[in-house]
Amino acid sequence: MLTTLNTSYTDTRAADLAWTLGLEPLSALATLDLELADTKLQLRLLGASHQVLIEREGGRCSETVACIPGSSTPLPLGVAKRIGDWEYEFAARVETLPPRSFAGRAQELLALVADHPHGLAGVFPGSPHAFTALLAQHHEGHVHWRTWHAYPQDGQLVATRTKVSARVTSLSPSAA
């Protein structure tokens, strides 16, 4: 799903993004509710940011990548955590591209997400290459989502990948 976000840019630089788990739902400009196997997701666009609400057996959680006032947790390159009965993995990278390459990559990503049944993208008025996009998938018992935050004024594209899966418990020697 592709939508135009009727708001001004709130996160103006890739360096302003922060990452956090467990925030309550923030005010969203657009949402997409999904059920992938045993997992309920809500993809949420928050200005130039995103939030994913996840619910599956074992609990609920949220991932937020946004300009969070008072946050001291910058966008990490990678995180691996246990959340209840889940394994959570997050990775992020920032690409800096020349203007022509940036425009082409922006068009590719928007085309990928816009017509995908598990995709949500929002573009900002005034620049067709200023957008936030999310794409969720389920594969082999894992729920994955990818996001892209585009900053055309700096030629920067922030890409994130998240995977959530049931925690694997090893068999005790007596059970084998």
Side-chain angles (χ1 to χ4, degrees), residues 35-39 56 118 136-144 164:
E35 191 156 343
L36 304 175
D38 63 344
T39 306
R56 68 186 312 183
H118 304 146
Q137 297 178 309
H138 181 269
H139 182 67
E140 296 180 359
H142 308 291
V143 175
H144 304 259
V164 175

Side-chain angles (χ1 to χ4, degrees), residues 67-151:
C67 233
I68 303 168
S71 174
S72 60
T73 306
L75 194 61
L77 294 177
V79 173
K81 293 182 79 100
R82 285 188 175 160
I83 303 171
D85 293 335
W86 312 340
E87 297 289 343
Y88 170 90
E89 296 175 30
F90 173 87
R93 66 183 163 80
V94 178
E95 290 181 76
T96 302
L97 303 166
R100 188 168 288 177
S101 296
F102 186 91
R105 184 75 174 130
Q107 289 172 343
E108 288 173 1
L109 291 170
L110 287 172
L112 171 72
V113 175
D115 294 327
H116 195 287
H118 304 146
L120 176 63
V123 295
F124 292 87
S127 175
H129 304 131
F131 68 91
T132 300
L134 300 95
L135 180 63
Q137 297 178 309
H138 181 269
H139 182 67
E140 296 180 359
H142 308 291
V143 175
H144 304 259
W145 60 89
R146 297 168 56 189
T147 74
W148 299 271
H149 303 251
Y151 299 92

